[in-house]
Amino acid sequence: MQPEQNKIVFLLPWRDEVPVGGYKVAYEYANRFYRDGWNVTICYPHVRGSFKQDIKNPFLRLKMRVGFFYRFFKNHYKAGEWFPLESGIKKFFIFAISDSALRDYKDAKIIATAVETAIELNAVRSVPNANKFYFIQDFEAWNVSENAVYVSYRFPMKKLTIAPWLRERVESAGEKAELIPNGFDFDYFTLSKTVENRSPYEIAMLYHKDERKRCEDAMKALELIKRQIPELHVTMFGVPEPPSDLPDWYTYHRQPSKTLHNAIYNNAAIFVAASKMEGFGLTLGEAMISGCAIACTNNGGFSCMAIHNKTALLSPVFDTEALAKNILRLINDNEFRIKLARAGNEYIRQFTWEKAFESFKTAVNR
């Protein structure tokens, strides 16, 4: 008789149509569990947890359910199309996370990947607490209050998190969390152009509309430098449309391909980021892999990889002049830029997906 296949379910907060960092990490784990022989399901609710609580009108509830089932049976639902998921992974579209939705997964390991999915999973009684896991990738106080986030840290489920600063937040709520830093795909991102042969005037940065990314601060710092160094050129990439007032010394690439994404990083001497808060900071690591020297702000996520004067130059959040000063130092001191880029490239190589997956698998099996 064949042993029963291990099952794991990843609860995502919504259907994704474009690349999202937290989803990328969940998908990477899903692929690796599948290759390890697990039965893997990714669950997408139609109704977000925070919104469901606000639906008081029974007719609106009925309308939403009818809309969901119409789209479901018409096969209109799509998600994760931008990521190369293994074909054997099941995508499960449900109206909401509930006992009935998860009734066939009582013996599976259930991974809540966001605060809203943790809140919903906590209310599910058909799944034993021993099979509930809360994968904390950021301090997610944008759809719920900060207090609600801290309350979620006290739910009776095992907590896994990606960064020391997030583990500290969980501990401040009187709970424990296992630290499992993210990995990077060293086959996807590569160093193809030597750091010595890059123009110090070539800058790369991510563009994002999330206010926490503080892209406007990075752009202000670069504007200060442009006044001193007319040769400065910035290549920016991201998911949204570019800003309407983007200066002509910027080049913008929307949702670049793998080849172009690598070319952006490898053409740049310096990668700039000014976030006030990051769960981990995937683009920072990608830039390090690709040989960029890093000038960024000092926040919990970046500090997983960015060590001042060793693997990066750090400046206080919101301090555009300090950020500009650090960028200028890297432009003007080529020897130091090369040293920093090499150190970052060496340091980031400890963050492998193989190590992360083994730690994650051990945690859910313990």
Side-chain angles (χ1 to χ4, degrees):
M1 184 176 179
Q2 291 289 334
E4 187 173 354
Q5 191 178 27
N6 289 326
K7 298 178 183 178
I8 191 166
V9 179
F10 291 89
L11 302 179
L12 295 178
W14 187 245
R15 302 181 307 276
D16 57 313
E17 298 178 354
V18 296
V20 180
Y23 282 64
K24 182 179 181 180
V25 171
Y27 288 154
E28 185 67 41
Y29 278 121
N31 272 350
R32 290 179 181 273
F33 272 104
Y34 180 80
R35 294 168 194 155
D36 197 54
W38 290 56
N39 181 309
V40 181
T41 300
I42 300 174
C43 185
Y44 304 90
H46 175 67
V47 179
R48 294 174 186 256
S50 59
F51 182 61
K52 188 174 73 171
Q53 306 304 318
D54 297 331
I55 307 174
K56 307 298 183 185
N57 188 318
F59 295 103
L60 179 57
R61 284 179 175 270
L62 178 61
K63 182 180 178 181
M64 292 187 71
R65 282 192 175 275
V66 170
F68 165 73
F69 285 110
Y70 175 82
R71 293 179 179 86
F72 181 84
F73 287 113
K74 288 288 185 178
N75 199 29
H76 287 179
Y77 285 122
K78 304 291 181 185
E81 301 294 312
W82 55 273
F83 190 91
L85 278 169
E86 296 286 352
S87 60
I89 293 175
K90 179 183 177 182
K91 294 180 180 179
F92 185 31
F93 299 97
I94 61 174
F95 180 72
I97 297 169
S98 64
D99 277 283
S100 59
L102 297 179
R103 64 178 179 270
D104 294 331
Y105 297 95
K106 298 175 184 178
D107 58 344
K109 309 294 186 180
I110 311 292
I111 316 296
T113 63
V115 62
E116 290 174 294
T117 56
I119 292 170
E120 297 285 283
L121 180 59
N122 184 56
V124 171
R125 298 293 173 243
S126 58
V127 176
N129 289 339
N131 284 354
K132 296 179 181 179
F133 298 84
Y134 186 3
F135 184 34
I136 301 164
Q137 301 188 70
D138 206 336
F139 187 73
E140 300 171 324
W142 44 82
N143 288 326
V144 300
S145 68
E146 288 194 7
N147 182 64
V149 177
Y150 282 115
V151 169
S152 76
Y153 292 163
R154 293 190 283 271
F155 290 158
M157 56 184 79
K158 186 167 186 176
K159 289 88 183 175
L160 313 174
T161 192
I162 61 175
W165 78 276
L166 288 168
R167 181 174 60 182
E168 291 170 7
R169 296 269 176 127
V170 176
E171 289 172 348
S172 74
E175 292 287 323
K176 293 181 179 180
E178 185 160 344
L179 176 62
I180 306 175
N182 288 331
F184 289 94
D185 188 339
F186 293 92
D187 292 322
Y188 190 101
F189 294 104
T190 61
L191 196 162
S192 59
K193 184 177 181 180
T194 61
V195 297
E196 296 89 348
N197 293 330
R198 304 186 188 193
S199 166
Y201 309 130
E202 285 291 339
I203 311 293
M205 67 171 282
L206 170 73
Y207 176 64
H208 202 294
K209 289 188 175 181
D210 184 348
E211 189 273 338
R212 302 187 318 151
K213 301 290 185 182
R214 301 302 301 174
C215 290
E216 64 270 34
D217 290 350
M219 295 176 75
K220 286 177 183 176
L222 292 167
E223 177 64 37
L224 293 174
I225 298 168
K226 182 69 173 179
R227 295 171 191 170
Q228 302 179 49
I229 302 177
E231 302 94 329
L232 191 75
H233 177 260
V234 181
T235 302
M236 197 159 61
F237 62 92
V239 170
E241 293 284 351
S244 58
D245 57 348
L246 195 67
D248 60 8
W249 45 280
Y250 277 74
T251 301
Y252 184 76
H253 297 285
R254 190 180 184 203
Q255 296 187 50
S257 65
K258 173 183 176 180
T259 300
L260 180 55
H261 203 171
N262 271 278
I264 292 168
Y265 282 137
N266 275 273
N267 187 59
I270 302 163
F271 183 80
V272 176
S275 302
K276 71 175 181 181
M277 184 181 287
E278 287 279 354
F280 189 74
L282 292 174
T283 53
L284 217 66
E286 294 165 2
M288 285 181 171
I289 294 169
S290 307
C292 295
I294 305 297
C296 67
T297 44
N298 188 4
N299 63 59
F302 286 166
S303 66
C304 295
M305 300 154 279
I307 305 169
H308 187 57
N309 270 327
K310 292 184 178 179
T311 64
L313 289 183
L314 277 64
S315 55
V317 173
F318 305 122
D319 193 337
T320 56
E321 291 187 1
L323 179 59
K325 183 179 178 181
N326 283 342
I327 299 168
L328 272 173
R329 182 182 176 191
L330 293 173
I331 291 173
N332 293 327
D333 190 341
N334 216 36
E335 184 177 344
F336 178 70
R337 173 186 67 80
I338 292 168
K339 178 183 176 182
L340 201 72
R342 285 175 174 168
N345 181 265
E346 181 66 28
Y347 187 80
I348 201 64
R349 295 194 174 276
Q350 68 183 286
F351 296 93
T352 67
W353 272 120
E354 291 74 19
K355 184 191 298 184
F357 173 67
E358 286 303 318
S359 296
F360 202 104
K361 184 173 69 170
T362 299
V364 299
N365 276 329
R366 191 177 293 130

